[in-house]
């Protein structure tokens, strides 16, 4: 008998938000690398051997390069994940079920024929964002639960903190 059971539907808008959070906020080093690359490129392009360094030009170039880098990373992530999801149109129309037991979590996705039960010790991490609770199966792959679908969010948060311990955190 599950301790908590949640039916959750993820829309395309939710899915895009989840991918954005999972890609950009999972690892702080990603944003650090993007910032460093954009700043380095902007610095090199704003340096002129005749007039010297132009700070205003560097700020403008940094902004453009930062948005270009973030857009490129998200576009590649969306495209790769959309190929996987487009196989079955039920992914955004039928609810998935998350059953939380004492020792494992049961996941029934609309695109999978059978339910998967995974022990909590098999997950790398469980992170909470403003809109989702994300269960990371590997450091790169996560399963999202929309928080709006959870009736007792405080009870579930306490349960997950107990089960995941140090591996539970906030983004």
């Amino acid at each position: 008998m599950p301790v908590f059971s949640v039916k959750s539907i993820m829309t395309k808008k939710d899915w895009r938000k989840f991918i954005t959070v999972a890609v950009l906020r999972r690892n702080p080093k990603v944003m650090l690398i993007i910032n460093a690359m954009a700043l380095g490129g902007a610095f090199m392009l704003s340096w002129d051997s005749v007039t010297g360094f132009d700070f205003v030009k560097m700020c403008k170039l940094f902004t453009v390069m930062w948005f270009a880098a973030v857009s490129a990373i998200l576009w590649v992530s969306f495209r790769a994940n959309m190929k996987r999801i487009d196989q079955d149109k039920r992914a955004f129309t039928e609810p998935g079920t998350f059953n939380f037991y004492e020792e494992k979590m049961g996941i029934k996705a609309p695109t999978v024929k059978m339910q998967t039960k995974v022990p909590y010790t098999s997950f790398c991490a469980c992170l909470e964002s403003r809109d989702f609770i994300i269960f990371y199966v590997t450091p790169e792959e996560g399963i999202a639960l929309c928080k709006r679908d959870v009736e007792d969010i405080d009870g579930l948060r306490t349960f997950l903190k107990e089960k995941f311990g140090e591996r539970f955190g906030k983004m």
Side-chain angles (χ1 to χ4, degrees), residues 84-136:
R84 185 176 51 85
I85 288 181
D86 268 347
Q87 307 294 324
D88 196 338
K89 300 298 181 193
R90 296 178 301 162
F92 298 118
T93 57
E94 294 181 17
T97 305
F98 293 80
N99 291 319
F100 298 92
Y101 301 96
E102 282 299 324
E103 297 300 320
K104 59 189 170 217
M105 182 170 87
I107 304 166
K108 174 72 172 108
T111 57
V112 179
K113 299 215 186 284
M114 61 190 298
Q115 182 173 1
T116 304
K117 291 185 180 176
V118 183
Y120 296 115
T121 56
S122 296
F123 289 99
C124 290
C126 177
L127 299 178
E128 181 181 5
S129 72
R130 189 177 72 218
D131 298 317
F132 305 104
I133 296 175
I134 304 170
F135 303 95
Y136 282 94

Side-chain angles (χ1 to χ4, degrees), residues 9-146:
I9 294 180
M10 184 169 284
T11 63
K12 278 194 176 189
K13 182 179 178 183
D14 291 333
W15 179 78
R16 283 190 175 101
K17 209 186 276 190
F18 160 64
I19 293 294
T20 303
V21 167
V23 169
L24 297 179
R25 294 192 56 204
R26 165 70 170 114
N27 189 346
K29 292 177 186 173
V30 171
M31 288 308 294
L32 184 65
I33 291 169
I34 290 172
N35 290 339
M37 288 175 50
L39 187 62
F43 180 78
M44 286 191 287
L45 290 173
S46 63
W47 184 266
D48 185 4
S49 62
V50 176
T51 59
F53 178 71
D54 186 358
F55 183 74
V56 174
K57 185 177 180 181
M58 186 190 79
C59 291
K60 290 178 185 177
L61 285 169
F62 171 77
T63 304
V64 170
M65 293 179 87
W66 187 86
F67 277 109
V70 168
S71 298
I73 289 169
L74 291 177
W75 182 75
V76 167
S77 296
F78 289 152
R79 194 167 147 232
N81 284 293
M82 206 54 178
K83 282 182 183 177
R84 185 176 51 85
I85 288 181
D86 268 347
Q87 307 294 324
D88 196 338
K89 300 298 181 193
R90 296 178 301 162
F92 298 118
T93 57
E94 294 181 17
T97 305
F98 293 80
N99 291 319
F100 298 92
Y101 301 96
E102 282 299 324
E103 297 300 320
K104 59 189 170 217
M105 182 170 87
I107 304 166
K108 174 72 172 108
T111 57
V112 179
K113 299 215 186 284
M114 61 190 298
Q115 182 173 1
T116 304
K117 291 185 180 176
V118 183
Y120 296 115
T121 56
S122 296
F123 289 99
C124 290
C126 177
L127 299 178
E128 181 181 5
S129 72
R130 189 177 72 218
D131 298 317
F132 305 104
I133 296 175
I134 304 170
F135 303 95
Y136 282 94
V137 182
T138 67
E140 292 82 27
E141 292 181 44
I143 303 164
L145 169 64
C146 295

Side-chain angles (χ1 to χ4, degrees), residues 122-171:
S122 296
F123 289 99
C124 290
C126 177
L127 299 178
E128 181 181 5
S129 72
R130 189 177 72 218
D131 298 317
F132 305 104
I133 296 175
I134 304 170
F135 303 95
Y136 282 94
V137 182
T138 67
E140 292 82 27
E141 292 181 44
I143 303 164
L145 169 64
C146 295
K147 286 171 66 173
R148 69 166 183 270
D149 296 330
V150 180
E151 291 177 15
D152 181 15
I153 190 66
D154 292 327
L156 181 60
R157 185 181 297 121
T158 303
F159 178 78
L160 292 173
K161 282 181 183 178
E162 178 186 309
K163 295 300 174 188
F164 283 91
E166 296 272 325
R167 296 173 296 141
F168 183 85
K170 290 195 176 235
M171 292 184 154

